[in-house]
Amino acid sequence: MGNITIFLISLAVNCCFWASAAIPIINSSTDESALLAFKAKITQDPYNILLKNWTQGTPFCNWIGITCSHRHQRVKALDLSSIGLKGTIAKEVGNLTFLISLDISNNNFQGNIPDELGHLHRLRGLYMQLNELSGQIPESFGFLNRIQELVLHNNSLSGPIPPAIFNISSFQVIDLMYNFLRGSLPMDTCNNLPNLQSFIVSHNQLGGQIPESFSRCSEIKFLALSYNEFMGSIPGKLGNLSKLEQLYLSGNNLTGELPSTIFNISSLTILQAAYNTISGSLPHDICKKTPRLEILYIFANQLGGQIPSSISGCRSLKHLSLAYNNISGVIPAEMGNMSALQLLHLISNNLTGELPFNFFNISSLTTIVLGYNRFTGNLPEDLCFRHPNLEVLEIESNQIFGNIPSSISLCSALSTIALTSNYLTGGIPPQIGNITGLQNLYLSENNLTGGIPAEIGNITGLQHLFLSDNNLTGEVPFKYFNFSSLVELTFAGNRFSGSVPHDLCFRHPELEYLNLEQNQFHGQIPSGISHCRAMDTLDLFGNKFTGNVPDNIGNMSMLRNLVVGRNNFTGIIPPSIGNLSRLLIFELSWNNFSGRILPELGKLPILEGIFIHTNQFTGEIPPSIFNISTLQELDLSGNHLSSFGES
């Protein structure tokens, strides 16, 4: 009996020995090896943090970015975020089995995420956002059964989202935004995610339908599916998400009506469903159960019907955009009580009636965009008393009339005034020059008279000045213009006179678009025009300019459209024209140019139109012109030319 006992004890000892020999010993030395393997994969360490601090022979628990557990002295947190590291992720990181949090966000890590990270069974937070990671999300992540937050946004990850991820009941945050993920979401997405609070997959390539099972994510507060390829209708059961605060559905292929049930979510603060094909109309009781709604973006859809007066019940609403739909009727007077409103964006609908300013007393409004409707009425004198914080006023392409009130200068925060394509009369008020922060002034296509007030020169930050197609007269007060940031200047279709100053481009070095066509300007094109190095379009058509086109015009390397027809220009085509490699349109018709047509025109690689008819050109037509593959229109008539090869 004693021998048997001794044998059994011996057998047990041997079994334990061999079993322990077969299992790798994982201890603190394993952690150190894993960290050194991680360091070995780093190719760029701009602050020398790992190079100087992560050195073998020093306690790794004291290394920068490392937090160890007190009891076992094992790595429980690795935080190397935002220190400019570049390299790949070592698979040995999967041996840090005590790791609870791994944060390498906002660096330059590349390559795939190792499958071995699925061994980190204690992991609760994984943060790898803002890197250059590629490949697929590892299937092994389905074994991270304690994970609460997975944040991988702003990488280049592709492929499907591993289905096993949707079975991890501990998840609170899944953020995969700004990647290249494909496939569809499982129809039972939320069956096993009772604790999920944020699900963010915007800006990917996901498709299929939005699962109705999202209604089972009862704790969700943040749901972002925008800018993917989801199709079908928006599930009405989303209205059951009683804790939902933010819902993002924009930029998909969603159809059908906007479910009225969504407006039963009293906690909702943001709803964005723009850039879809949603039809129907807004619910008649839209704001009766959403008192906290702050942002409502449903622009660029196919909504019809009218704006319900109940929208005034959204007393917290700050941004309202229903632009680019088919909404008709008038703006409800009740909207004048929406005291928190800052942005009202209703451009491109079928709205009618008078402008709503008479019943709007919303001092918080900063942006009013009502263009491309059929509003009537005029701009009231007290516009800026009612809306003193106004920054953007856009009412182009309507039917408003009357004068531009001089009191508009009291809107001192205005950066944009866009009143193009209306029936405005009278002059441009000189007081507009008091709006010194104005950047964009669009007054084209009205019936404005008089001249340009010199006070406009006070708006030193002006970038876009559009006054075309009015009845404006007199000389342009160029000498008062000191718009160093000016990009576009168009005075076409008026009766302006005077000449183009020689220092135009010294005063406006950023000028890209100059359109003076159909006026009564005279004099020569100043040679200083070549200093407008950013110029894209120079249009002087239909004036009384004389002299030559400057020889140095070829220095305007960004020029795409050169239009000087119907003037009194003489001389030859400057040879430097051959340097304008970006030129698309070359228009010199109805002048008195002479000499030969330069063969250099045939070397312009993307030229689309040549219009030099009705001049005094002589000689042969250069054969190189017919070799321009992009050329669509060519008019050489009304000259004294011979075809190449003719004697």
Side-chain angles (χ1 to χ4, degrees):
M1 184 70 181
N3 291 334
I4 294 174
T5 302
I6 292 170
F7 171 76
L8 290 174
I9 292 172
S10 175
L11 180 63
V13 170
N14 283 321
C15 285
C16 291
F17 171 79
W18 290 112
S20 63
I23 299 173
I25 299 173
I26 299 178
N27 51 34
S28 59
S29 63
T30 305
D31 284 6
E32 183 178 25
S33 298
L35 294 173
L36 292 173
F38 177 87
K39 175 183 176 181
K41 292 286 187 178
I42 301 300
T43 59
Q44 182 174 303
D45 180 10
Y47 303 108
N48 293 324
I49 290 174
L50 305 191
L51 178 65
K52 293 183 177 180
N53 185 261
W54 284 31
T55 56
Q56 197 167 10
T58 61
F60 63 81
C61 288
N62 295 335
W63 293 355
I64 291 175
I66 304 299
T67 303
C68 288
S69 59
H70 293 296
R71 181 179 178 186
H72 298 100
Q73 289 295 289
R74 302 291 303 278
V75 178
K76 69 174 184 179
L78 175 59
D79 184 354
L80 296 172
S81 59
S82 305
I83 58 173
L85 296 178
K86 186 173 184 178
T88 57
I89 302 171
K91 65 180 181 179
E92 288 82 0
V93 173
N95 294 332
L96 298 172
T97 54
F98 275 68
L99 204 60
I100 294 174
S101 176
L102 172 58
D103 188 348
I104 57 170
S105 62
N106 196 22
N107 283 292
N108 300 294
F109 283 99
Q110 300 172 326
N112 295 347
I113 301 173
D115 290 335
E116 287 78 3
L117 296 192
H119 299 160
L120 302 175
H121 301 305
R122 291 181 172 86
L123 199 65
R124 295 181 184 175
L126 179 57
Y127 309 96
M128 295 182 168
Q129 69 269 25
L130 296 164
N131 278 288
E132 301 169 14
L133 298 170
S134 56
Q136 298 191 7
I137 299 173
E139 293 279 353
S140 63
F141 277 15
F143 297 114
L144 300 174
N145 53 18
R146 295 185 187 180
I147 195 165
Q148 296 175 359
E149 299 187 358
L150 175 63
V151 184
L152 303 176
H153 68 76
N154 290 81
N155 279 287
S156 298
L157 299 170
S158 57
I161 302 173
I165 279 180
F166 298 100
N167 293 322
I168 303 175
S169 61
S170 57
F171 259 131
Q172 296 178 11
V173 175
I174 299 175
D175 186 351
L176 310 176
M177 184 168 63
Y178 285 106
N179 280 287
F180 300 98
L181 300 173
R182 293 181 174 272
S184 58
L185 299 177
M187 297 312 293
D188 59 352
T189 291
C190 279
N191 285 8
N192 298 303
L193 297 173
N195 300 302
L196 193 64
Q197 297 180 17
S198 295
F199 185 74
I200 307 169
V201 293
S202 296
H203 296 274
N204 279 283
Q205 298 168 12
L206 298 168
Q209 296 192 335
I210 298 174
E212 283 194 353
S213 64
F214 270 120
S215 63
R216 298 190 182 96
C217 282
S218 57
E219 298 296 315
I220 201 163
K221 297 179 181 179
F222 196 108
L223 178 57
L225 309 176
S226 53
Y227 299 98
N228 279 285
E229 298 171 12
F230 291 111
M231 55 186 176
S233 58
I234 300 170
K237 289 185 178 181
L238 292 183
N240 297 333
L241 297 173
S242 60
K243 297 184 180 180
L244 189 64
E245 297 177 2
Q246 300 182 30
L247 177 59
Y248 299 89
L249 303 173
S250 297
N252 283 288
N253 301 310
L254 299 172
T255 57
E257 296 190 3
L258 192 65
S260 59
T261 54
I262 288 178
F263 296 97
N264 293 332
I265 306 173
S266 61
S267 57
L268 197 64
T269 61
I270 296 176
L271 172 58
Q272 296 189 8
Y275 297 115
N276 283 289
T277 318
I278 298 169
S279 56
S281 58
L282 297 173
H284 68 279
D285 58 351
I286 184 170
C287 284
K288 290 188 176 180
K289 296 180 181 179
T290 51
R292 300 178 185 175
L293 195 62
E294 296 182 3
I295 296 176
L296 180 60
Y297 287 166
I298 321 179
F299 59 87
N301 278 285
Q302 296 179 5
L303 291 175
Q306 299 187 355
I307 300 173
S309 59
S310 63
I311 201 166
S312 62
C314 287
R315 295 298 178 89
S316 300
L317 199 64
K318 296 178 180 178
H319 289 192
L320 173 62
S321 181
L322 306 174
Y324 305 103
N325 279 289
N326 299 310
I327 298 171
S328 58
V330 300
I331 295 178
E334 291 84 352
M335 287 183 64
N337 299 321
M338 300 173 69
S339 58
L341 197 62
Q342 298 174 6
L343 180 147
L344 179 62
H345 200 225
L346 302 176
I347 189 171
S348 291
N349 279 284
N350 295 311
L351 295 166
T352 56
E354 288 203 8
L355 291 171
F357 297 118
N358 289 331
F359 54 82
F360 269 31
N361 289 295
I362 307 173
S363 61
S364 57
L365 265 174
T366 62
T367 302
I368 299 176
V369 181
L370 305 176
Y372 296 92
N373 283 285
R374 289 180 288 153
F375 290 115
T376 60
N378 57 13
L379 297 175
E381 280 289 340
D382 62 353
L383 172 68
C384 295
F385 293 100
R386 293 171 180 263
H387 312 296
N389 297 306
L390 205 57
E391 297 175 6
V392 175
L393 178 64
E394 296 185 10
I395 319 179
E396 66 268 43
S397 295
N398 277 281
Q399 299 169 17
I400 63 173
F401 50 83
N403 296 341
I404 301 172
S406 59
S407 61
I408 199 168
S409 64
L410 299 177
C411 289
S412 58
L414 273 170
S415 64
T416 296
I417 299 175
L419 304 174
T420 299
S421 298
N422 281 287
Y423 302 110
L424 295 172
T425 54
I428 300 171
Q431 293 85 350
I432 211 165
N434 296 332
I435 312 175
T436 55
L438 196 65
Q439 297 176 7
N440 309 298
L441 181 58
Y442 301 103
L443 301 177
S444 297
E445 299 175 37
N446 281 285
N447 298 312
L448 298 173
T449 54
I452 299 176
E455 289 83 354
I456 280 186
N458 298 331
I459 312 173
T460 55
L462 198 64
Q463 297 177 13
H464 302 91
L465 178 58
F466 280 51
L467 301 178
S468 61
D469 297 304
N470 281 285
N471 295 309
L472 297 168
T473 57
E475 292 196 9
V476 176
F478 283 116
K479 65 180 180 180
Y480 297 107
F481 288 5
N482 289 293
F483 311 135
S484 60
S485 301
L486 192 67
V487 175
E488 293 185 277
L489 183 65
T490 174
F491 295 154
N494 284 284
R495 287 179 288 152
F496 289 122
S497 57
S499 59
V500 177
H502 70 278
D503 60 351
L504 176 74
C505 292
F506 294 98
R507 291 172 178 263
H508 315 299
E510 304 298 322
L511 195 61
E512 296 179 10
Y513 187 89
L514 177 62
N515 187 348
L516 306 181
E517 77 168 70
Q518 300 291 1
N519 279 282
Q520 298 172 17
F521 288 104
H522 56 79
Q524 298 188 359
I525 302 175
S527 60
I529 197 79
S530 65
H531 291 282
C532 285
R533 298 295 173 86
M535 185 80 77
D536 174 275
T537 296
L538 176 61
D539 189 345
L540 308 179
F541 186 89
N543 282 280
K544 298 178 180 179
F545 287 107
T546 57
N548 300 335
V549 174
D551 292 336
N552 59 3
I553 200 165
N555 296 337
M556 302 170 71
S557 60
M558 303 301 290
L559 197 64
R560 296 198 306 166
N561 302 291
L562 178 59
V563 181
V564 297
R566 282 197 180 276
N567 280 282
N568 298 311
F569 287 114
T570 56
I572 63 171
I573 300 175
S576 67
I577 289 289
N579 298 331
L580 301 178
S581 61
R582 292 170 56 90
L583 198 65
L584 298 176
I585 301 297
F586 185 55
E587 210 287 345
L588 275 66
S589 62
W590 298 99
N591 279 288
N592 293 303
F593 287 108
S594 59
R596 63 190 182 93
I597 298 175
L598 296 175
E600 284 85 351
L601 285 178
K603 298 179 181 179
L604 299 178
I606 57 173
L607 199 59
E608 295 178 357
I610 299 176
F611 307 93
I612 56 176
H613 61 85
T614 320
N615 278 283
Q616 304 294 326
F617 290 112
T618 58
E620 292 185 351
I621 301 171
S624 60
I625 286 180
F626 300 98
N627 295 327
I628 304 173
S629 62
T630 56
L631 195 64
Q632 299 174 16
E633 296 184 76
L634 174 65
D635 191 345
L636 309 178
S637 63
N639 285 286
H640 307 288
L641 301 168
S642 59
S643 299
F644 58 93
E646 290 183 358
S647 57

